Amino acid sequence: MRYSSETTLLGLPLVSIAFGPSPDYSENRGLARGIVAIGDVAVGVVSFGRLAFGLLSVGGVSVGVASAGGLALGVLSLGGAAVGLVAIGGAAIGYTALGGLAVGVRTFGDVQVSIADLLQF
């Protein structure tokens, strides 16, 4: 499935959707690129996908300024495993970390590990 809106902003389609393989595009997975991207692999300002990259990203693996997903990487991260300046998740690693396992400078959670403690080893 492929869809790209005719409306563009900064040379990118406003909405791009791509799921599944496409022989026409020589893709094994749908690659969506747009302001709002939705697909197997999504790259956009706002992205949703199995792999999501953008300012605001949501996905199985998400990378962005604000990200949420199974594995979330970003300034503000929320996920099963979260890594970022502020990280919230089952396992959270960040300057400020909140989670079942929290590793960071400021930690909140069941098991807290300070960066200073790690550097003593």
Side-chain angles (χ1 to χ4, degrees):
M1 176 182 157
R2 300 289 186 275
Y3 169 79
S4 285
S5 64
E6 292 181 15
T7 306
T8 62
L9 182 63
L10 302 172
L12 293 171
L14 188 60
V15 176
S16 176
I17 300 172
F19 286 104
S22 173
D24 295 339
Y25 295 99
S26 299
E27 294 176 350
N28 293 329
R29 288 169 205 81
L31 173 60
R33 284 182 277 204
I35 301 301
V36 175
I38 303 167
D40 295 323
V41 179
V43 180
V45 176
V46 178
S47 59
F48 302 93
R50 291 179 182 153
L51 298 173
F53 303 90
L55 292 178
L56 172 61
S57 61
V58 177
V61 176
S62 62
V63 179
V65 175
S67 62
L71 172 60
L73 308 168
V75 176
L76 173 60
S77 300
L78 173 64
V83 179
L85 188 61
V86 176
I88 303 168
I93 301 172
Y95 181 83
T96 300
L98 169 64
L101 169 62
V103 179
V105 175
R106 298 178 53 207
T107 57
F108 308 91
D110 295 334
V111 178
Q112 300 177 33
V113 179
S114 165
I115 295 294
D117 293 341
L118 288 176
L119 296 176
Q120 289 179 359
F121 285 108

